[in-house]
C-alpha cells in the first residue's frame, strides 16, 4: 500500500483507490450516491480529503454485512457537519442494524431449510414451495389455475383478460 506523506491533505482519486482498496469506478459511484465528496482542481480533477479514507472504509464494511447503500448514506447524513464516522458511530449504527440483519438471516435460514422441498416441483401451489408460492397463497383459493391468461388474438389487446384454462 503506498504511503502518503502526512503533510498531504488531499488525495487524487487514484491515491484514494490505492489506499482504500476500492476501484476508481466504485469511488465515483460512491460520490454520485452522496457517500463521499470531492472538490475539483483548476484542471477539473477530483481531490478528496484524507477523511474520505475512513468514510470509504465505513461504507465498505457496512456493505460487506449487507447494509444497502441508501441506508449507509442516511446514516452518514445524520453525522454532525458530515464528519467522518468514528468507532462510537460504528458501534451505535451496527447495533441499530443488528435486528435487520437478524431478520434477514432468519429469512435465509427458512429459505435454505425449505429449498429441498421446492426444487423442480413445478406445482406452484404446494404449501412448502417457498420459491414459487410462499405459504401456498394460490392454493388456498382452491384447485386449478388461479391466474388469468391473456389472449392477444381474440381482442387484439394485450390487456384484455381471458378465463384461465
Amino acid at each position: 500500500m503506498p504511503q502518503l506523506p502526512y503533510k498531504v491533505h488531499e488525495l487524487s482519486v487514484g491515491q484514494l483507490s490505492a489506499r482504500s482498496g476500492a476501484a476508481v469506478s466504485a469511488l465515483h459511484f460512491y460520490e454520485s450516491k452522496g457517500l463521499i465528496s470531492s472538490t475539483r482542481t483548476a484542471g477539473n480533477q477530483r481531490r478528496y480529503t484524507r477523511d474520505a479514507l475512513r468514510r470509504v472504509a465505513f461504507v465498505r464494511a457496512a456493505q460487506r454485512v449487507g447494509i444497502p447503500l441508501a441506508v449507509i448514506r442516511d446514516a452518514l447524513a445524520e453525522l454532525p457537519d458530515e464528519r467522518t464516522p468514528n468507532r462510537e458511530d460504528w458501534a451505535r449504527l451496527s447495533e441499530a442494524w443488528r435486528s435487520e440483519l437478524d431478520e434477514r438471516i432468519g429469512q435465509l435460514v427458512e429459505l435454505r431449510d425449505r429449498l429441498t422441498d421446492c426444487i423442480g416441483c413445478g406445482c406452484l401451489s404446494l404449501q412448502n414451495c417457498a420459491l414459487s408460492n410462499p405459504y401456498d397463497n394460490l392454493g388456498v383459493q382452491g384447485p386449478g389455475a388461479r391466474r388469468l391468461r391473456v389472449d392477444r388474438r381474440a381482442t387484439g389487446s394485450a390487456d384484455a383478460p381471458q378465463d384461465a384454462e
Side-chain angles (χ1 to χ4, degrees):
M1 178 182 312
Q3 295 296 317
L4 293 173
Y6 186 73
K7 63 183 177 186
V8 174
H9 296 288
E10 291 187 330
L11 302 136
S12 69
V13 70
Q15 289 170 321
L16 182 59
S17 174
R19 292 286 308 275
S20 68
V24 169
S25 59
L27 296 174
H28 290 169
F29 180 75
Y30 291 164
E31 189 171 356
S32 74
K33 297 299 179 186
L35 299 166
I36 60 175
S37 61
S38 68
T39 58
R40 297 290 184 141
T41 66
N44 203 30
Q45 295 177 336
R46 288 180 168 94
R47 291 292 183 259
Y48 298 90
T49 57
R50 289 178 73 94
D51 68 336
L53 284 166
R54 183 172 295 271
R55 287 180 79 90
V56 171
F58 179 88
V59 169
R60 295 186 78 199
Q63 278 187 296
R64 275 194 292 279
V65 295
I67 305 300
L69 285 178
V71 174
I72 298 168
R73 183 189 60 237
D74 293 345
L76 289 171
E78 290 177 11
L79 297 175
D81 300 323
E82 294 188 16
R83 71 171 168 74
T84 302
N86 57 31
R87 184 171 290 166
E88 292 79 25
D89 296 324
W90 179 257
R92 179 178 46 80
L93 291 168
S94 64
E95 183 62 33
W97 293 335
R98 185 178 203 79
S99 63
E100 181 183 334
L101 291 174
D102 287 341
E103 184 179 323
R104 277 198 250 156
I105 289 168
Q107 291 170 348
L108 287 171
V109 167
E110 182 181 351
L111 181 60
R112 180 205 61 205
D113 293 346
R114 297 176 76 195
L115 188 61
T116 55
D117 295 335
C118 215
I119 297 297
C121 70
C123 67
L124 302 179
S125 66
L126 279 179
Q127 191 171 11
N128 291 333
C129 192
L131 297 177
S132 298
N133 186 18
Y135 308 110
D136 196 26
N137 291 329
L138 296 176
V140 296
Q141 298 174 14
R146 294 285 164 230
R147 303 227 184 231
L148 296 178
R149 162 182 92 112
V150 176
D151 186 356
R152 295 178 187 179
R153 293 171 293 161
T155 63
S157 170
D159 296 330
Q162 302 293 317
D163 287 337
E165 294 178 19

